[in-house]
C-alpha cells in the first residue's frame, strides 16, 4: 500500500495502513488532533489513546491510513462503512496543521480514491461542514457533488466510475 512520492518535490511521501506497532505513534497524533481547534470540524470518532489502539489494531475491511512525509506521520485518512455492510464507504481526512497548504491533502484523497476502487466501491461518500471552505474546495476540485444537507453539514458523493477522481 506504500506509495511513491507525488506531491512535494524532493520529499518522501508515503501512505500506508496502520498496524499494531503504530499504537503509540497514532496515540500521539490523535493527541495533536484533539488539541487542534480545527477538530471541531472533524469528529468521526474520539481522538483518544483508546481509539488509537482500536484503529491501529483494526483488522476489518475498513481502511485507516497514515500519510508520512519524510517518515513523519502528517496525515490521517479513512474509508469506513464496509465493516457495517455498506457498499459505499465514507471518507474522512485530517492533515497536521504544520503541513496544510502544500498539496498533501489532494495526494491523500487520490490515494483513498484508488483504495476505494480497488476494494470494489463505485462511489465514496463524505460529510463536510459548509463553513469548512478548505475542505469543501478540496472536495469540489476532486469531483465531489453535494447532494444533501444534514444540519450544518453537506453530504458529498464522488462517482468513481464516471469521473476519475485522480484514479
Ligand atoms: C481539510 C484539509 C485536509 C485540507 O488540507 P489543506 O492542505 O489545508 O488544503 P489545501 O491548502 O490544499 O486547500 C484545499 C483547497 O482549498 C483552497 N483554500 C484554502 N484556503 C481556503 C479558504 N480559506 N477558502 C476557500 N478555499 C480555500 C485551496 O486553494 C485549495 O484549492 P485548490 O486545490 O483549488 O488550490 C485540512 O485543512 C485539514 O486537515 N483540516 C482539518 C480537518 C478537516 O477539516 N478535515 C475535513 C473534514 S470534512
Amino acid at each position: 500500500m506504500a506509495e511513491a512520492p507525488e506531491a512535494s518535490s524532493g520529499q518522501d511521501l508515503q501512505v500506508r495502513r496502520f498496524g499494531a506497532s503504530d499504537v503509540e505513534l497514532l496515540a500521539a497524533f490523535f493527541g495533536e488532533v484533539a488539541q487542534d481547534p480545527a477538530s471541531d470540524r472533524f469528529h468521526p470518532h474520539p481522538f483518544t489513546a483508546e481509539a488509537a489502539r482500536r484503529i491501529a489494531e483494526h483488522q476489518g475491511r475498513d481502511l485507516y491510513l497514515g500519510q508520512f512525509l519524510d517518515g513523519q506521520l502528517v496525515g490521517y485518512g479513512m474509508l469506513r462503512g464496509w465493516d457495517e455492510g455498506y457498499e459505499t464507504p465514507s471518507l474522512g481526512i485530517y492533515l497536521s496543521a504544520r503541513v496544510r497548504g502544500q498539496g498533501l491533502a489532494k495526494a491523500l484523497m487520490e490515494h483513498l480514491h484508488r483504495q476505494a476502487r480497488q476494494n470494489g466501491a463505485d462511489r465514496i461518500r463524505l460529510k463536510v461542514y459548509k463553513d469548512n471552505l478548505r475542505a469543501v474546495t478540496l472536495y469540489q476540485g476532486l469531483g465531489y457533488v453535494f447532494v444533501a444537507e444534514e444540519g450544518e453539514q453537506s453530504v458529498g458523493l464522488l462517482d468513481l466510475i464516471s469521473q476519475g477522481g485522480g484514479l
Side-chain angles (χ1 to χ4, degrees):
M1 189 169 298
E3 172 168 289
E6 61 178 281
S8 309
S9 61
Q11 292 179 295
D12 177 52
L13 189 62
Q14 306 281 337
V15 180
R16 67 165 173 82
R17 197 167 181 166
F18 292 108
S21 62
D22 293 316
V23 170
E24 288 183 13
L25 176 71
L26 194 55
F29 191 77
F30 280 4
E32 182 188 329
V33 179
Q35 297 290 322
D36 181 353
S39 65
D40 71 349
R41 291 289 178 270
F42 180 67
H43 41 72
H45 55 69
F47 287 98
T48 58
E50 186 188 336
R53 175 168 299 282
R54 179 177 57 78
I55 287 166
E57 295 179 348
H58 176 262
Q59 295 282 339
R61 287 188 66 202
D62 290 351
L63 288 176
Y64 298 93
L65 304 178
Q67 186 181 39
F68 295 80
L69 183 63
D70 290 337
Q72 299 286 312
L73 177 59
V74 296
Y76 174 63
M78 68 184 86
L79 290 166
R80 302 190 302 179
W82 287 311
D83 286 344
E84 290 180 76
Y86 294 103
E87 283 182 18
T88 300
S90 291
L91 179 148
I93 180 176
Y94 177 94
L95 275 194
S96 173
R98 64 185 183 277
V99 299
R100 290 177 196 155
Q102 301 178 27
L104 300 186
K106 185 163 180 275
L108 182 54
M109 290 293 292
E110 290 174 346
H111 188 99
L112 290 164
H113 295 170
R114 286 192 293 274
Q115 289 293 315
R117 195 74 196 104
Q118 283 169 21
N119 285 311
D122 293 343
R123 301 193 303 174
I124 294 176
R125 178 182 189 275
L126 55 75
K127 279 168 66 174
V128 60
Y129 282 88
K130 293 173 214 167
D131 64 2
N132 191 349
L133 297 180
R134 280 189 167 220
V136 168
T137 306
L138 174 73
Y139 301 149
Q140 282 177 327
L142 288 166
Y144 284 81
V145 176
F146 294 108
V147 295
E149 295 191 355
E150 291 184 9
E152 297 174 66
Q153 299 190 74
S154 300
V155 177
L157 283 179
L158 178 69
D159 184 337
L160 292 166
I161 304 295
S162 67
Q163 77 85 45
L167 296 176

